[in-house]
Amino acid sequence: GWIPGTKQNDKTTVQYGAHYDHVGYGTKKTSLGEIGLIHNGADDNASGTSAILELCRHFHKHPPRNNVLVVLWDAEELGLLGSKHFVGDPVFPLENISLAVNVDMIGQLTDGTLEVHGSRTGMGLRSVIANANLDHRIPMEYKGKVVRNSDHYAFLEHKIPALMFHTGLHDRYHRPADDPDTLDYKGATRIVQFLLDFATALDNHNSPFEFRDGSLQDDRAAIRLHETGITDLLDTNGITASYVPGKPSHLRVTNVKNSASRPRNWPTSGAKISTICNIPIDDINGLAGAFQSLLDSPSLTFIPKRSAMRKTIKLQPIENIQIAGAHLISDLGDPRVFYVQQVRKDSSSARMGISQGDTLIPRHTRNTDVLDWLARPKPRNAVFVERNGSILLFK
């Protein structure tokens, strides 16, 4: 379905979609339950399809400023065939699509969370999602790793930012028991109401979302390393590295700036970084607790590409930028959003109730800069906090 925007000569388009197929009677490849019985797929994905129809109803009553493209996908369960065909042989110029929004299984919220996949694939998406959730307070889990598990991934492969909203798998998934009487209708209604506000926020966004290179290589560990300050430490020392999972995990050096002017014992491309401040790379919690060492006298141990001999070097500390007693690290996908790495005791940030691990997000209606606000927090409601997926407001 095509809904033209009211803005003249504007090609910016947001695509909304959900797959409407399921697995029929089930096969050994598609069913996790008894084969031969009808698998109705109430959650997977009648719930998502219904949400998209509600969005269509909304746009009919409230014509969007930007163009809207609505697609219900077939053959998702067979390997994203419908969405892959669309992006491979589009009936609409892909370069005009600024964002693809996929709704897949939203019928099991209950007391759980709404998973958000792909929030760091487009620069600036994170704060738009959080602001749209202010009135609904749905607990959200922002997934780090983007996986090929639904139709949004077909767009990501063409460097188009894409999101998926999902309430998670359950014991009725791909089984005959996925029936309408098992759905959480109140939770699904909350999610649809959030999606309506989110669609409005997207429509009022002034510019397309820029696809973030590297977002398809993100995973939870890599994002946590960024939040610990390790990425800032390596950048300070001219080192670019990617996280490599394993036993043990390590960081592989991919580039070194001004390598010719570095000391002879400096790591080069291909080197494996095994520890930072004597803490193994796969000990994420340990690295998070060693933040003060990154400010004081950090060190790095690595194995050169063509050697088995470990080398340890001293690094230049990261810049100690504290505002109101808090050290902040910007989000990978949204420079307006900040993760709180450290809070000094008895500081003004601590007295406000800000804690390590919080995420500070500006209200879009006030166009607030979080760093400026933290130095002088007025008005208090210009910034809000996400803590463990829940939204908290300052009094």
Side-chain angles (χ1 to χ4, degrees):
W2 171 252
I3 305 172
T6 58
K7 288 170 62 176
Q8 296 295 320
N9 302 318
D10 189 356
K11 297 181 180 179
T12 302
T13 301
V14 177
Q15 186 273 323
Y16 296 91
H19 76 89
Y20 68 89
D21 65 305
H22 196 48
V23 300
Y25 290 99
T27 67
K28 290 182 178 179
K29 290 185 177 180
T30 61
S31 177
L32 298 175
E34 186 175 351
I35 297 172
L37 298 178
I38 293 177
H39 296 51
N40 283 316
D43 190 24
D44 185 16
N45 186 33
S47 63
T49 304
S50 300
I52 295 301
L53 294 178
E54 286 300 320
L55 280 170
C56 291
R57 193 194 309 271
H58 168 77
F59 288 128
H60 178 71
K61 293 181 179 178
H62 309 281
R65 296 168 63 248
N66 299 304
N67 302 317
V68 169
L69 177 67
V70 178
V71 187
L72 298 180
W73 309 110
D74 198 358
E76 187 267 358
E77 302 289 4
L78 298 179
L80 320 184
L81 299 187
S83 53
K84 283 184 177 179
H85 178 77
F86 177 85
V87 297
D89 186 21
V91 296
F92 180 87
L94 293 182
E95 60 269 21
N96 292 350
I97 298 178
S98 62
L99 177 67
V101 179
N102 181 35
V103 187
D104 194 347
M105 298 176 59
I106 59 165
Q108 298 293 338
L109 182 63
T110 317
D111 296 324
T113 59
L114 177 62
E115 296 179 6
V116 184
H117 297 248
S119 64
R120 295 177 176 88
T121 61
M123 297 299 294
L125 273 174
R126 181 75 167 75
S127 55
V128 178
I129 299 168
N131 272 268
N133 190 34
L134 271 172
D135 290 338
H136 309 285
R137 307 289 185 88
I138 299 172
M140 290 191 172
E141 180 182 359
Y142 293 88
K143 291 293 188 178
K145 186 176 180 61
V146 181
V147 295
R148 192 184 283 103
N149 60 351
S150 192
D151 293 297
H152 61 290
Y153 200 89
F155 291 86
L156 294 175
E157 291 182 313
H158 286 258
K159 293 193 172 184
I160 298 171
L163 295 168
M164 178 177 74
F165 295 100
H166 176 66
T167 51
L169 304 182
H170 46 78
D171 58 7
R172 294 175 295 281
Y173 171 71
H174 278 210
R175 291 177 171 87
D178 185 7
D179 286 334
D181 60 356
T182 66
L183 298 185
D184 173 16
Y185 287 96
K186 289 184 178 179
T189 300
R190 288 177 65 196
I191 293 172
V192 170
Q193 290 169 340
F194 154 74
L195 288 172
L196 296 179
D197 283 350
F198 179 55
T200 301
L202 291 178
D203 199 43
N204 292 328
H205 196 71
N206 293 326
S207 58
F209 297 97
E210 178 186 352
F211 181 78
R212 186 175 74 81
D213 290 329
S215 59
L216 297 188
Q217 286 73 51
D218 284 346
D219 61 16
R220 185 176 183 275
I223 291 170
R224 288 286 287 119
L225 283 172
H226 173 78
E227 292 172 345
T228 62
I230 299 301
T231 303
D232 284 354
L233 176 67
L234 296 178
D235 287 345
T236 299
N237 290 272
I239 300 171
T240 304
S242 59
Y243 178 79
V244 180
K247 297 182 179 180
S249 304
H250 64 275
L251 295 172
R252 180 183 293 120
V253 177
T254 56
N255 186 47
V256 177
K257 295 179 181 178
N258 304 319
S259 56
S261 62
R262 300 289 179 183
R264 292 185 61 184
N265 64 342
W266 209 255
T268 57
S269 292
K272 297 180 180 179
I273 301 173
S274 57
T275 70
I276 291 178
C277 299
N278 297 318
I279 300 173
I281 294 300
D282 49 8
D283 184 4
I284 304 293
N285 291 331
L287 290 169
F291 185 73
Q292 191 60 44
S293 297
L294 307 187
L295 300 172
D296 297 336
S297 56
S299 63
L300 176 152
T301 300
F302 69 97
I303 303 172
K305 184 177 182 180
R306 293 181 175 85
S307 173
M309 184 180 297
R310 294 178 182 271
K311 296 184 178 182
T312 300
I313 60 173
K314 296 290 185 181
L315 297 176
Q316 177 184 340
I318 62 176
E319 189 176 358
N320 188 2
I321 303 176
Q322 286 201 15
I323 301 175
H327 193 109
L328 309 181
I329 295 175
S330 63
D331 186 83
L332 274 172
D334 194 331
R336 298 184 62 196
V337 173
F338 288 87
Y339 176 83
V340 181
Q341 172 48 240
Q342 188 182 64
V343 180
R344 194 178 68 245
K345 292 182 179 179
D346 300 323
S347 65
S348 59
S349 292
R351 289 191 293 273
M352 288 173 62
I354 297 173
S355 301
Q356 180 181 0
D358 286 348
T359 301
L360 301 181
I361 303 169
R363 286 193 184 229
H364 280 186
T365 54
R366 294 188 177 275
N367 198 29
T368 304
D369 182 285
V370 168
L371 300 182
D372 292 343
W373 175 87
L374 195 57
R376 187 176 181 274
K378 293 181 180 181
R380 282 292 175 97
N381 64 356
V383 170
F384 61 96
V385 168
E386 278 189 349
R387 180 179 295 167
N388 298 324
S390 297
I391 290 177
L392 302 175
L393 302 180
F394 291 101
K395 294 182 179 179

